[in-house]
Amino acid sequence: MYSLIIVEDDDSIRSGLVHLFPWEDCGFTITGDFSNGRSAWKFLKEHSSVNAVLTDIRMPLMDGLELTRRVYEEMPQTSVFLISGFQDFSYAQQAIHYNVKDFFIKPVRHQNLMLSFLKLKEELDRLNLPDADPGPVNQYYDQILRMVKTYVTDHLKTATLEEAAVLSHLSAGYLSRLFKSQCSMSFSDYVLKKRMERACVLLSDPRNKVYEVSDAVGYDNPKNFSRAFRSYFHMSPKEFREKGSQAYDET
């Protein structure tokens, strides 16, 4: 694990960053959190092995830019990430000058924070563990996709992109793009695929009525289910049932 300190004068934001974000999944452990840059700088001077600093900009006693400047000049091996509630381009200009790793605007998006620190972990691994597996970002994607696919399986009747996004701490738009790029199909197409596969299994048992199968896979109206089934398999549920499992094998 790599070490990280968090510097934020808002107690609730700092507590959320410290306790709610899955830092260990990114390969980091928090070794200190502070409400101002002065306290953080004192800690850094005594603990020069800290790998990363996540700091707000506007704080009392010493602001985040002054802290960043000192780290840049005296501890170049330590990476700095800046947070600001103010979209001020001058901050971004100074951040570039001080070679910060990333610049976040409040409220910080979960996926942006995760990807930035996974990239830093990858860089640190290359320096310290040259034989390590260089795929933390892909591992993060895989973890999200496994979770989303499990959600669809467990909530086949009611699965929505919005609920999957909440579950994975991503925006619906971001998850939609991620899912399509990694799975070669849209989220809605994946849900349809799993519903139709489940319908085939249920229809193979003659004890299940078509309207029961329809309800089980998320269709309130059996006619809508039959229409969707025909569009997907080019045959009606009744024709599928008459042809048996061979029909499913041929699709």
Side-chain angles (χ1 to χ4, degrees), residues 201-248:
V201 172
L202 295 174
L203 286 169
S204 297
D205 186 340
R207 293 173 297 180
N208 294 323
K209 308 297 184 184
V210 171
Y211 71 86
E212 294 174 332
V213 175
S214 170
D215 179 69
V217 297
Y219 290 86
D220 294 332
N221 188 326
K223 290 184 178 179
N224 290 339
F225 165 67
S226 295
R227 190 179 301 113
F229 192 93
R230 179 182 289 277
S231 176
Y232 196 87
F233 289 113
H234 307 293
M235 67 180 74
S236 68
K238 181 180 179 181
E239 291 170 334
F240 172 87
R241 176 164 276 171
E242 290 173 349
K243 292 186 177 182
S245 61
Q246 180 183 357
Y248 184 43

Coordinates of all heavy atoms in Angstrom, one line a residue, residues 201-248:
V201 N -35.2 -20.3 -20.7 CA -35.1 -21.3 -19.7 C -36.5 -21.6 -19.1 O -36.9 -22.8 -18.9 CB -34.1 -20.9 -18.5 CG1 -34.2 -21.9 -17.4 CG2 -32.7 -20.8 -19.1
L202 N -37.2 -20.5 -18.8 CA -38.6 -20.7 -18.2 C -39.5 -21.3 -19.2 O -40.4 -22.2 -18.8 CB -39.1 -19.3 -17.8 CG -38.3 -18.7 -16.6 CD1 -38.8 -17.3 -16.3 CD2 -38.4 -19.6 -15.4
L203 N -39.4 -21.0 -20.5 CA -40.4 -21.5 -21.5 C -40.1 -23.0 -21.7 O -41.0 -23.7 -22.2 CB -40.2 -20.7 -22.8 CG -40.8 -19.3 -22.8 CD1 -40.4 -18.6 -24.1 CD2 -42.4 -19.4 -22.7
S204 N -38.9 -23.4 -21.5 CA -38.5 -24.8 -21.7 C -39.3 -25.7 -20.7 O -39.4 -27.0 -20.9 CB -37.0 -25.0 -21.5 OG -36.3 -24.3 -22.5
D205 N -39.8 -25.2 -19.6 CA -40.6 -25.9 -18.7 C -42.1 -25.7 -19.0 O -42.6 -24.6 -18.9 CB -40.3 -25.4 -17.3 CG -41.0 -26.3 -16.2 OD1 -42.0 -27.0 -16.5 OD2 -40.6 -26.2 -15.0
P206 N -42.8 -26.7 -19.5 CA -44.2 -26.5 -20.0 C -45.2 -26.1 -18.9 O -46.3 -25.7 -19.1 CB -44.6 -27.9 -20.5 CG -43.6 -28.8 -19.9 CD -42.3 -28.1 -19.7
R207 N -44.7 -26.2 -17.6 CA -45.6 -25.8 -16.5 C -45.7 -24.3 -16.4 O -46.6 -23.8 -15.8 CB -45.1 -26.4 -15.2 CG -45.2 -28.0 -15.1 CD -44.5 -28.5 -13.9 NE -43.0 -28.2 -13.9 CZ -42.2 -28.5 -13.0 NH1 -42.6 -29.2 -11.9 NH2 -40.9 -28.2 -13.1
N208 N -44.8 -23.6 -17.0 CA -44.8 -22.1 -16.9 C -45.6 -21.5 -18.0 O -45.4 -21.8 -19.2 CB -43.3 -21.6 -17.0 CG -42.5 -22.0 -15.8 OD1 -42.9 -22.1 -14.7 ND2 -41.2 -22.3 -16.1
K209 N -46.6 -20.8 -17.6 CA -47.5 -20.1 -18.6 C -46.7 -18.9 -19.2 O -45.8 -18.4 -18.6 CB -48.7 -19.6 -17.9 CG -49.5 -20.6 -17.2 CD -50.0 -21.8 -18.1 CE -50.9 -22.7 -17.3 NZ -51.3 -23.9 -18.1
V210 N -47.1 -18.6 -20.4 CA -46.4 -17.5 -21.1 C -46.5 -16.2 -20.3 O -45.6 -15.4 -20.2 CB -46.9 -17.3 -22.5 CG1 -46.3 -16.0 -23.2 CG2 -46.5 -18.5 -23.4
Y211 N -47.7 -15.9 -19.7 CA -47.9 -14.7 -19.0 C -47.0 -14.7 -17.7 O -46.6 -13.7 -17.2 CB -49.3 -14.4 -18.7 CG -50.0 -15.4 -17.6 CD1 -49.8 -15.1 -16.3 CD2 -50.6 -16.5 -18.0 CE1 -50.4 -15.9 -15.3 CE2 -51.2 -17.4 -17.1 CZ -51.1 -17.1 -15.7 OH -51.6 -17.9 -14.8
E212 N -46.8 -15.9 -17.1 CA -45.9 -16.0 -16.0 C -44.4 -15.7 -16.3 O -43.7 -15.1 -15.6 CB -46.0 -17.4 -15.3 CG -47.4 -17.7 -14.7 CD -47.6 -19.1 -14.3 OE1 -46.9 -20.0 -14.8 OE2 -48.4 -19.3 -13.3
V213 N -44.0 -16.2 -17.5 CA -42.7 -16.0 -18.0 C -42.5 -14.5 -18.3 O -41.5 -13.9 -17.9 CB -42.4 -16.8 -19.2 CG1 -41.0 -16.4 -19.8 CG2 -42.5 -18.3 -18.9
S214 N -43.5 -13.9 -18.9 CA -43.5 -12.5 -19.2 C -43.3 -11.7 -17.9 O -42.4 -10.8 -17.9 CB -44.8 -12.1 -19.8 OG -44.9 -10.7 -19.9
D215 N -44.0 -12.0 -16.9 CA -43.9 -11.2 -15.6 C -42.5 -11.5 -15.0 O -41.9 -10.5 -14.4 CB -45.0 -11.6 -14.7 CG -44.9 -10.9 -13.3 OD1 -45.2 -9.7 -13.3 OD2 -44.6 -11.6 -12.3
A216 N -42.0 -12.7 -15.1 CA -40.8 -13.0 -14.4 C -39.6 -12.3 -15.0 O -38.6 -12.1 -14.3 CB -40.5 -14.6 -14.5
V217 N -39.7 -11.9 -16.3 CA -38.5 -11.3 -16.9 C -38.8 -9.8 -17.1 O -38.1 -9.1 -17.9 CB -38.2 -11.9 -18.2 CG1 -37.7 -13.4 -18.0 CG2 -39.3 -11.9 -19.2
G218 N -39.8 -9.2 -16.4 CA -40.0 -7.8 -16.4 C -41.0 -7.2 -17.4 O -40.9 -5.9 -17.6
Y219 N -41.9 -8.0 -17.9 CA -42.9 -7.4 -18.9 C -44.2 -7.5 -18.2 O -44.7 -8.6 -17.9 CB -42.9 -8.2 -20.2 CG -41.6 -7.9 -21.0 CD1 -40.5 -8.7 -20.8 CD2 -41.6 -7.0 -22.0 CE1 -39.3 -8.5 -21.6 CE2 -40.5 -6.7 -22.8 CZ -39.4 -7.5 -22.6 OH -38.2 -7.2 -23.3
D220 N -44.9 -6.4 -18.0 CA -46.2 -6.4 -17.4 C -47.3 -6.9 -18.3 O -48.3 -7.5 -18.0 CB -46.6 -5.0 -16.9 CG -45.7 -4.6 -15.7 OD1 -45.2 -5.4 -15.0 OD2 -45.5 -3.3 -15.6
N221 N -47.0 -6.6 -19.6 CA -48.0 -7.0 -20.7 C -47.4 -8.2 -21.5 O -46.4 -8.0 -22.1 CB -48.2 -5.8 -21.6 CG -49.4 -6.0 -22.6 OD1 -49.6 -7.1 -23.0 ND2 -50.1 -5.0 -22.9
P222 N -48.1 -9.3 -21.5 CA -47.6 -10.5 -22.2 C -47.5 -10.2 -23.7 O -46.6 -10.8 -24.4 CB -48.7 -11.6 -22.0 CG -49.3 -11.2 -20.7 CD -49.3 -9.7 -20.6
K223 N -48.3 -9.3 -24.3 CA -48.2 -9.0 -25.7 C -46.9 -8.3 -26.0 O -46.2 -8.6 -27.0 CB -49.4 -8.2 -26.1 CG -50.7 -8.9 -26.1 CD -51.8 -8.0 -26.7 CE -53.1 -8.8 -26.8 NZ -54.2 -7.9 -27.3
N224 N -46.5 -7.4 -25.1 CA -45.2 -6.7 -25.3 C -44.0 -7.7 -25.1 O -43.0 -7.6 -25.9 CB -45.0 -5.6 -24.2 CG -45.9 -4.5 -24.4 OD1 -46.4 -4.3 -25.5 ND2 -46.2 -3.7 -23.4
F225 N -44.2 -8.7 -24.2 CA -43.1 -9.7 -24.1 C -43.1 -10.5 -25.4 O -42.0 -10.8 -25.9 CB -43.5 -10.6 -22.9 CG -42.7 -11.9 -22.9 CD1 -41.3 -11.9 -22.7 CD2 -43.3 -13.1 -23.1 CE1 -40.6 -13.1 -22.8 CE2 -42.6 -14.3 -23.2 CZ -41.2 -14.3 -23.0
S226 N -44.2 -11.0 -25.9 CA -44.2 -11.8 -27.1 C -43.6 -11.0 -28.3 O -42.9 -11.6 -29.1 CB -45.6 -12.2 -27.4 OG -46.1 -13.1 -26.4
R227 N -43.9 -9.7 -28.4 CA -43.4 -8.9 -29.4 C -41.8 -8.8 -29.3 O -41.1 -8.9 -30.3 CB -44.0 -7.5 -29.4 CG -43.7 -6.7 -30.6 CD -44.4 -5.3 -30.5 NE -45.8 -5.5 -30.4 CZ -46.6 -5.2 -29.4 NH1 -46.0 -4.7 -28.3 NH2 -47.9 -5.4 -29.4
A228 N -41.4 -8.6 -28.1 CA -39.9 -8.5 -27.9 C -39.2 -9.8 -28.1 O -38.1 -9.9 -28.7 CB -39.6 -8.0 -26.4
F229 N -39.9 -10.9 -27.7 CA -39.3 -12.2 -27.9 C -39.2 -12.5 -29.4 O -38.1 -13.0 -29.9 CB -40.2 -13.3 -27.2 CG -39.5 -14.6 -27.1 CD1 -38.8 -15.0 -26.0 CD2 -39.7 -15.6 -28.2 CE1 -38.2 -16.3 -25.9 CE2 -39.1 -16.8 -28.1 CZ -38.4 -17.2 -27.0
R230 N -40.2 -12.2 -30.2 CA -40.2 -12.5 -31.6 C -39.1 -11.6 -32.3 O -38.4 -12.1 -33.2 CB -41.6 -12.2 -32.2 CG -41.6 -12.4 -33.7 CD -43.0 -12.1 -34.3 NE -44.0 -13.1 -33.9 CZ -44.2 -14.2 -34.6 NH1 -43.4 -14.6 -35.6 NH2 -45.1 -15.1 -34.2
S231 N -39.0 -10.4 -31.9 CA -38.0 -9.5 -32.5 C -36.6 -10.1 -32.2 O -35.7 -10.0 -33.0 CB -38.1 -8.1 -31.9 OG -37.1 -7.3 -32.4
Y232 N -36.4 -10.6 -31.0 CA -35.1 -11.1 -30.6 C -34.7 -12.5 -31.3 O -33.6 -12.7 -31.8 CB -35.0 -11.2 -29.1 CG -33.6 -11.3 -28.6 CD1 -32.8 -10.2 -28.3 CD2 -33.0 -12.6 -28.3 CE1 -31.5 -10.3 -27.8 CE2 -31.7 -12.7 -27.8 CZ -31.0 -11.5 -27.6 OH -29.7 -11.6 -27.1
F233 N -35.7 -13.4 -31.3 CA -35.4 -14.8 -31.7 C -36.1 -15.1 -33.1 O -35.9 -16.2 -33.6 CB -35.9 -15.8 -30.7 CG -35.1 -15.8 -29.4 CD1 -35.6 -15.4 -28.2 CD2 -33.8 -16.3 -29.4 CE1 -34.9 -15.4 -27.1 CE2 -33.0 -16.3 -28.3 CZ -33.6 -15.9 -27.1
H234 N -36.9 -14.2 -33.6 CA -37.6 -14.4 -34.9 C -38.5 -15.6 -34.8 O -38.7 -16.3 -35.8 CB -36.5 -14.6 -36.0 CG -35.5 -13.6 -36.1 ND1 -35.8 -12.3 -36.5 CD2 -34.2 -13.6 -35.9 CE1 -34.7 -11.5 -36.5 NE2 -33.7 -12.3 -36.1
M235 N -39.1 -15.7 -33.7 CA -40.2 -16.7 -33.5 C -41.0 -16.3 -32.2 O -40.4 -15.6 -31.4 CB -39.7 -18.1 -33.3 CG -38.8 -18.4 -32.1 SD -38.2 -20.1 -32.0 CE -36.9 -20.0 -33.2
S236 N -42.2 -16.7 -32.1 CA -43.0 -16.4 -30.9 C -42.6 -17.3 -29.8 O -42.0 -18.4 -30.0 CB -44.5 -16.6 -31.3 OG -44.8 -18.0 -31.5
P237 N -43.0 -17.0 -28.6 CA -42.8 -17.9 -27.4 C -43.4 -19.3 -27.7 O -42.8 -20.3 -27.3 CB -43.4 -17.2 -26.2 CG -43.3 -15.7 -26.6 CD -43.5 -15.7 -28.1
K238 N -44.6 -19.3 -28.3 CA -45.3 -20.5 -28.6 C -44.5 -21.4 -29.5 O -44.3 -22.6 -29.4 CB -46.7 -20.3 -29.1 CG -47.5 -21.5 -29.4 CD -48.8 -21.2 -29.9 CE -49.6 -22.5 -30.3 NZ -51.0 -22.2 -30.8
E239 N -44.0 -20.7 -30.6 CA -43.2 -21.5 -31.6 C -41.9 -22.0 -31.0 O -41.4 -23.1 -31.3 CB -42.8 -20.6 -32.8 CG -44.0 -20.2 -33.6 CD -43.7 -19.1 -34.6 OE1 -42.8 -18.3 -34.4 OE2 -44.4 -19.1 -35.7
F240 N -41.3 -21.2 -30.1 CA -40.0 -21.6 -29.4 C -40.3 -22.9 -28.6 O -39.6 -23.9 -28.6 CB -39.5 -20.5 -28.5 CG -38.4 -20.9 -27.6 CD1 -37.1 -20.9 -28.0 CD2 -38.7 -21.4 -26.3 CE1 -36.0 -21.3 -27.2 CE2 -37.6 -21.8 -25.5 CZ -36.3 -21.8 -25.9
R241 N -41.5 -22.8 -27.9 CA -41.8 -24.0 -27.0 C -42.1 -25.2 -27.8 O -41.7 -26.3 -27.4 CB -43.0 -23.6 -26.2 CG -43.6 -24.7 -25.3 CD -44.5 -24.1 -24.2 NE -43.8 -23.6 -23.1 CZ -44.4 -22.9 -22.1 NH1 -45.6 -22.6 -22.1 NH2 -43.7 -22.5 -21.0
E242 N -42.7 -25.1 -29.0 CA -43.0 -26.2 -29.8 C -41.7 -26.8 -30.4 O -41.6 -28.0 -30.6 CB -43.9 -25.8 -31.0 CG -45.3 -25.5 -30.5 CD -46.2 -24.9 -31.6 OE1 -45.6 -24.6 -32.7 OE2 -47.4 -24.8 -31.4
K243 N -40.7 -26.0 -30.7 CA -39.5 -26.5 -31.3 C -38.5 -27.0 -30.2 O -37.5 -27.7 -30.5 CB -38.8 -25.4 -32.1 CG -39.6 -25.0 -33.3 CD -38.8 -24.0 -34.2 CE -39.5 -23.7 -35.5 NZ -38.7 -22.8 -36.4
G244 N -38.7 -26.6 -29.0 CA -37.9 -27.1 -27.9 C -36.6 -26.4 -27.8 O -36.3 -25.3 -28.4
S245 N -35.6 -27.0 -27.1 CA -34.3 -26.4 -26.9 C -33.5 -26.2 -28.2 O -32.6 -25.4 -28.2 CB -33.5 -27.2 -25.9 OG -33.3 -28.5 -26.4
Q246 N -33.8 -27.0 -29.2 CA -33.1 -26.8 -30.5 C -33.3 -25.4 -31.0 O -32.3 -24.9 -31.6 CB -33.6 -27.8 -31.5 CG -32.9 -27.7 -32.8 CD -33.5 -28.7 -33.9 OE1 -34.4 -29.5 -33.6 NE2 -33.0 -28.7 -35.1
A247 N -34.4 -24.8 -30.8 CA -34.6 -23.4 -31.3 C -33.7 -22.5 -30.6 O -33.1 -21.6 -31.3 CB -36.1 -23.0 -31.0
Y248 N -33.4 -22.7 -29.4 CA -32.5 -21.8 -28.6 C -31.1 -22.0 -29.1 O -30.3 -21.1 -29.2 CB -32.6 -22.0 -27.1 CG -31.8 -21.1 -26.3 CD1 -31.8 -19.7 -26.5 CD2 -31.1 -21.6 -25.2 CE1 -31.0 -18.9 -25.7 CE2 -30.4 -20.7 -24.4 CZ -30.3 -19.4 -24.7 OH -29.6 -18.5 -23.9

